[in-house]
């Protein structure tokens, strides 16, 4: 294996490791990712919270 | 390995640029994943900068004269120890070593900054600034002084290491100075991030102050060692004064000193301190004041120094008086010539007496180093003979020798040893005085 091939392999491995956090962001359990809709369960919970907040005023 | 070294240098530059871009995006979009990716980019830049440095080191050890930098700073008759030291003897290698140190300090600070800073955006800006500093260092290495540049036709042998740099101090002082300058990157990045965010709280101030002490200590030690090295190697000052690494380090040390003094004044006026801290600060102040007083005394005694330009024949005696009025005689023991592989040494020994009492021999040497094909590329290097006592240094420098006759300079430098003691006391006193009380970290 030539030194350049070793360098290229190292670079690819490092790049995969470096960009991994960006892709793992999609799998966060609470689903709170900027620009993406939250999960249905989180949606329901948020609606319930808003309803509870509005109730005393009405 | 040279190819891998150069490739790694460019990849390291790309990784540092990636770090800056992603961390700025992370700060602006408040996305921690981007900042994390940026911090990892800095770690990857460290890996590739280390690989690049290993590539250059291998080229030096393997006498690869197709690399211009190796051909300019090494040769086959340079000892292995100095071949390694030759790595940082020129601008390109110095920049590469500085980049490696910035990458090591920066990746550590970035990982800590991302985890510890309560203000995520400020942490992200810290990572971005560290990436920017490393990018600048690597870009300067790659574009301005690339140490992997090749020559059209590889010479049979190299030019050799500059004789002025063939001193054991070469292995310690320049790396220490570069490490001190590199460690400055961490507090600098924290301050810039805080300025961008306009959030400079007590916790951050304590962290900045704590991280400033390390580069200040390293740079102080490097300055002291550098001064000592310049004292025992005449000609070094002229060779190194304009070096960008020396200028950057001196400016960094001055800025850090001003910052630490200002922070110390602020802390002293603001918070009641524990008994141990008060004692430590008092001891620090005493040591620093003592050191400064010793340095001032030496400075005041400089006009007392005596210099004699002497022309002396073998076996002849020369009479002189030192700064304190003592009568000295110097009897020439004659010059001796030693021809070794790679260098010729001419040495002159003097037998001194002080007020009629015999003193140990003092010898000064002139070394002529030879490069490939016996060419004397560099001028002859003088190694002075020094006899140090607290009262004064006796300093003998051989200028020329031949046909039973020698030309030399004999100097009596009063109280010089006190200046070194004063410098060490100043640095130790500063460290004690500026040491951050543990309670301050907790604020």
């Amino acid at each position: 294996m030539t030194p350049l091939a070793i360098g290229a392999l190292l670079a690819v491995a490092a790049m995969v490791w470096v960009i991994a956090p960006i892709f793992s962001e999609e799998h966060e359990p609470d689903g709170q990712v900027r620009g993406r809709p939250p999960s249905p369960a989180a949606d329901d919970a948020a609606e319930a919270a808003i309803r509870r907040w509005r109730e005393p005023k009405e | 390995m040279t190819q891998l070294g150069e490739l790694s240098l460019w990849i390291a530059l790309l990784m540092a640029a990636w770090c800056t871009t992603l961390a700025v995006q992370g700060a602006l979009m408040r996305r921690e994943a981007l900042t994390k990716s940026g911090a990892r980019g800095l770690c990857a830049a460290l890996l590739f900068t280390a690989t690049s440095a290993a590539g250059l080191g291998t080229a030096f050890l393997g006498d690869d004269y197709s690399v211009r930098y190796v051909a300019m700073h090494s040769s086959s008759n340079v000892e292995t120890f100095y071949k390694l030291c030759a790595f940082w003897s020129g601008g390109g290698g110095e920049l590469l070593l500085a980049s490696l140190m910035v990458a090591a300090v920066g990746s550590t600070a970035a990982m800590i900054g991302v985890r510890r800073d309560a203000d995520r955006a400020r942490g992200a800006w810290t990572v971005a600034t560290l990436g920017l500093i490393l990018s600048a260092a690597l870009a300067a290495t790659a574009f301005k002084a690339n140490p992997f540049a090749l020559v059209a036709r590889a010479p049979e042998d190299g030019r050799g290491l500059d004789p002025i740099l063939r001193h054991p101090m070469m292995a310690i002082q320049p790396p220490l100075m570069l490490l001190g300058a590199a460690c400055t990157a961490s507090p600098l990045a924290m301050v810039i991030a805080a300025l961008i965010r306009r959030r400079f709280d007590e916790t951050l101030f304590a962290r900045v102050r704590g991280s400033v002490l390390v580069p200040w200590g390293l740079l102080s030690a490097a300055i002291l060692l550098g001064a000592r090295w310049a004292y025992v190697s005449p000609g070094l000052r002229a060779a190194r004064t304009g070096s960008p690494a020396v200028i950057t380090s001196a400016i960094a040390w001055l800025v850090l000193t001003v910052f630490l003094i200002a922070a110390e004044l602020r802390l002293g006026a603001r918070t009641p301190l524990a008994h141990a801290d008060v004692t430590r600060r008092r001891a620090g102040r005493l040591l620093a004041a003592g050191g400064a007083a010793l340095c001032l005394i030496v400075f005041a005694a400089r006009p007392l120094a005596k210099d004699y330009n002497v022309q002396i024949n073998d076996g002849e005696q020369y009479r002189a008086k030192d700064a304190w009025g003592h009568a000295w005689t110097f009897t020439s023991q004659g010059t001796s010539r030693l021809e070794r592989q790679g260098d010729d040494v001419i040495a002159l020994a003097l037998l001194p007496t002080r007020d009629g009492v015999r003193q140990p021999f003092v010898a000064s040497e002139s070394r002529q180093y030879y490069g490939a094909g016996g060419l004397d590329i560099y001028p002859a290097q003088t190694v002075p003979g020094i006899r140090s006592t607290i009262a004064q240094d006796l300093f003998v420098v051989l200028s020329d020798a031949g046909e039973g006759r020698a030309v030399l300079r004999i100097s009596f430098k009063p109280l010089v040893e006190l200046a070194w003691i004063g410098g060490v006391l100043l640095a130790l006193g500063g460290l004690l005085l500026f040491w951050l009380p543990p309670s301050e970290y907790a604020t």
Side-chain angles (χ1 to χ4, degrees):
Chain A
M1 199 178 255
T2 63
L4 284 180
I6 295 170
L9 267 179
L10 258 177
V12 170
M15 209 57 223
V16 168
W17 179 69
V18 165
I19 60 173
I22 302 171
F23 291 104
S24 66
E25 191 183 31
E26 292 179 359
H27 304 296
E28 281 180 13
D30 57 3
Q32 291 185 1
V33 176
R34 197 175 179 276
R36 295 180 65 238
S39 68
D43 254 354
D44 293 346
E47 270 180 34
I50 293 167
R51 221 175 292 126
R52 274 199 305 278
W53 178 66
R54 280 180 177 167
E55 265 168 12
K57 287 184 177 176
E58 289 168 357
Chain B
M1 196 64 188
T2 312
Q3 278 181 322
L4 178 61
E6 183 164 21
L7 178 69
S8 299
L9 178 63
W10 290 107
I11 298 173
L13 178 57
L14 282 177
M15 290 291 173
W18 171 277
C19 162
T20 313
T21 315
L22 269 277
V24 168
Q25 283 294 313
L28 294 176
M29 297 170 72
R30 303 279 199 280
R31 282 179 65 182
E32 209 188 331
L34 296 183
T35 313
K36 260 188 195 167
S37 174
R40 284 191 178 190
L42 210 55
C43 296
L46 167 64
L47 170 75
F48 286 103
T49 315
T51 312
S52 181
L56 187 62
T58 311
F60 268 108
L61 291 177
D63 293 331
D64 184 356
Y65 302 121
S66 63
V67 180
R68 179 186 292 273
Y69 186 75
V70 178
M72 290 292 283
H73 296 97
S74 182
S75 63
S76 55
N77 60 13
V78 170
E79 299 97 315
T80 310
F81 172 74
Y82 286 121
K83 274 182 188 169
L84 280 173
C85 293
F87 184 110
W88 48 84
S89 63
E94 217 168 41
L95 270 170
L96 183 59
L97 186 65
S99 303
L100 177 63
M101 287 167 172
V102 169
V105 171
S107 51
T108 313
M111 287 315 214
I112 292 171
V114 168
R115 261 206 320 269
R116 277 202 199 157
D117 204 331
D119 183 346
R120 295 287 162 89
R122 193 172 60 190
W125 282 116
T126 308
V127 175
T129 314
L130 287 166
L132 191 67
I133 295 169
L134 181 60
S135 301
L138 285 169
T141 313
F143 292 110
K144 209 162 180 287
N146 194 329
F148 295 101
L150 301 175
V151 285
R153 230 182 73 191
E156 279 182 19
D157 207 341
R159 194 163 176 259
L161 179 64
D162 190 340
I164 201 89
L165 303 176
R166 295 185 200 198
H167 191 280
M169 205 70 96
M170 183 66 184
I172 309 165
Q173 199 271 342
L176 197 66
M177 188 176 68
L178 292 176
L179 182 62
C183 284
T184 315
S186 166
L188 181 70
M190 281 194 262
V191 169
I192 290 174
L195 286 174
I196 293 171
R197 285 286 291 157
R198 292 180 189 161
R199 285 187 67 177
F200 204 83
D201 51 47
E202 282 299 307
T203 318
L204 185 88
F205 184 76
R207 276 178 54 205
V208 169
R209 210 188 139 191
S211 59
V212 154
L213 207 58
V214 176
W216 187 84
L218 289 171
L219 285 173
S220 300
I223 288 170
L224 277 174
L225 288 175
R228 181 72 198 176
W229 185 12
Y231 181 69
V232 297
S233 298
L236 182 74
R237 200 179 300 170
R240 299 280 294 171
T241 300
S243 153
V246 173
I247 294 170
T248 310
S249 304
I251 292 172
W253 183 84
L254 274 175
V255 171
L256 295 179
T257 308
V258 170
F259 172 80
L260 282 169
I261 290 171
E264 178 57 29
L265 292 173
R266 179 178 174 274
L267 180 73
R270 191 174 55 89
T271 38
L273 294 166
H275 179 68
D277 289 327
V278 173
T279 314
R280 175 180 50 76
R281 280 156 53 99
R282 198 171 290 160
R285 239 183 244 136
L286 267 176
L287 280 178
L294 286 179
C295 291
L296 278 176
I297 290 170
V298 177
F299 189 73
R302 277 186 72 179
L304 297 176
K306 300 260 184 192
D307 294 310
Y308 299 93
N309 292 316
V310 181
Q311 199 167 350
I312 194 168
N313 294 322
D314 291 356
E316 205 176 70
Q317 202 174 62
Y318 184 81
R319 291 175 193 282
K321 271 202 170 178
D322 69 13
W324 313 109
H326 295 289
W328 288 74
T329 64
F330 297 91
T331 310
S332 171
Q333 306 298 298
T335 52
S336 55
R337 187 181 291 267
L338 178 68
E339 287 180 15
R340 298 187 297 203
Q341 195 193 359
D343 64 337
D344 285 357
V345 181
I346 299 170
L348 170 78
L350 294 175
L351 176 62
T353 65
R354 194 186 72 173
D355 296 332
V357 179
R358 190 180 150 173
Q359 304 291 315
F361 285 103
V362 182
S364 175
E365 292 178 4
S366 172
R367 292 181 188 168
Q368 178 67 63
Y369 289 88
Y370 292 101
L375 288 171
D376 47 343
I377 299 163
Y378 296 102
Q381 167 74 19
T382 305
V383 181
I386 305 174
R387 267 207 66 226
S388 295
T389 57
I390 289 290
Q392 67 186 348
D393 274 16
L394 168 62
F395 206 87
V396 178
V397 180
L398 177 65
S399 303
D400 191 22
E403 295 173 6
R405 187 179 57 83
V407 180
L408 62 144
R409 188 180 175 90
I410 298 173
S411 305
F412 297 98
K413 303 184 177 193
L415 305 174
V416 170
E417 285 304 298
L418 292 185
W420 306 120
I421 297 169
V424 173
L425 287 182
L426 254 176
L428 287 177
L431 280 176
L432 277 178
L433 186 61
F434 300 142
W435 198 268
L436 196 63
S439 57
E440 278 292 302
Y441 280 108
T443 54

